Amino acid sequence: GQPAGHCSPGTIQNTTAGCPTNGYRSRTCGATCTYGSYSSICEGATAVELFAGGPGAHSTFMKSSDGKMFAWGLDADSQLGDGKTDNKSKMIPASFANVSSLAVGGGTTYGFMCAVFGDTSAKCLGYNSTTYTLGDGVTSTSPTFITPTGFDTGVQSVAAGYAHGCG
């Protein structure tokens, strides 16, 4: 197993502890694969872009003016990117940023999400069905980002439907 506190360099972790409504504090995993301290100042979110799922996809993402992502709604398959499976009635800070395009798919009982990042790679997470929803050739649901086959660079946008994603 990994040592206590182990993380992947660059991963962002957020907490709302000690902050007003919709406020949060962040910490980043450093080069030594451990988290530093949470920031002392609570930040808030100012929306600049909203990514909502189509009919039946009950998860929503918001990009703030500083590029950070926030999410709320259905999270039955970890499609909000926090690694948990409890639905969110309030906006939470997401564990990823630097998104240029994002699409939410699925239905009322499951969901998935695909995003294009600043490096033009696409990554997906959440429900993965017998229709290979996440595009990696397997059918296992993933609470962490996977890269669909052939989407490691040069992707401009993504789209999602009930049981498919494309870019």
Side-chain angles (χ1 to χ4, degrees), residues 25-66:
R25 297 181 297 132
S26 301
R27 65 183 184 173
T28 303
C29 185
T32 61
C33 297
T34 57
Y35 282 107
S37 300
Y38 281 106
S39 58
S40 58
I41 298 171
C42 292
E43 300 178 54
T46 302
V48 294
E49 196 165 0
L50 193 64
F51 302 98
H58 300 285
S59 303
T60 305
F61 292 84
M62 181 195 80
K63 183 177 180 178
S64 67
S65 57
D66 62 1

Side-chain angles (χ1 to χ4, degrees), residues 1-164:
Q2 297 291 342
H6 179 83
C7 54
S8 299
T11 302
I12 301 167
Q13 193 174 59
N14 299 294
T15 183
T16 57
C19 295
T21 301
N22 292 336
Y24 65 94
R25 297 181 297 132
S26 301
R27 65 183 184 173
T28 303
C29 185
T32 61
C33 297
T34 57
Y35 282 107
S37 300
Y38 281 106
S39 58
S40 58
I41 298 171
C42 292
E43 300 178 54
T46 302
V48 294
E49 196 165 0
L50 193 64
F51 302 98
H58 300 285
S59 303
T60 305
F61 292 84
M62 181 195 80
K63 183 177 180 178
S64 67
S65 57
D66 62 1
K68 293 179 180 169
M69 297 296 293
F70 296 84
W72 63 95
L74 181 70
D75 198 18
D77 297 295
S78 298
Q79 67 265 35
L80 296 184
D82 65 347
K84 299 178 181 174
T85 57
D86 57 316
N87 297 336
K88 312 297 188 287
S89 61
K90 295 182 180 180
M91 180 174 68
I92 61 162
S95 61
F96 57 93
N98 197 21
V99 170
S100 60
S101 175
L102 188 142
V104 180
T108 56
T109 58
Y110 67 89
F112 65 97
M113 180 269 288
C114 295
V116 178
F117 291 87
D119 64 357
T120 71
S121 69
K123 298 185 184 335
C124 300
L125 54 77
Y127 185 75
N128 205 5
S129 71
T130 56
T131 60
Y132 306 99
T133 311
L134 300 183
D136 61 344
V138 299
T139 58
S140 303
T141 294
S142 180
T144 58
F145 281 111
I146 59 95
T147 302
T149 304
F151 282 67
D152 53 343
T153 188
V155 183
Q156 294 182 357
S157 65
V158 288
Y162 183 75
H164 70 277

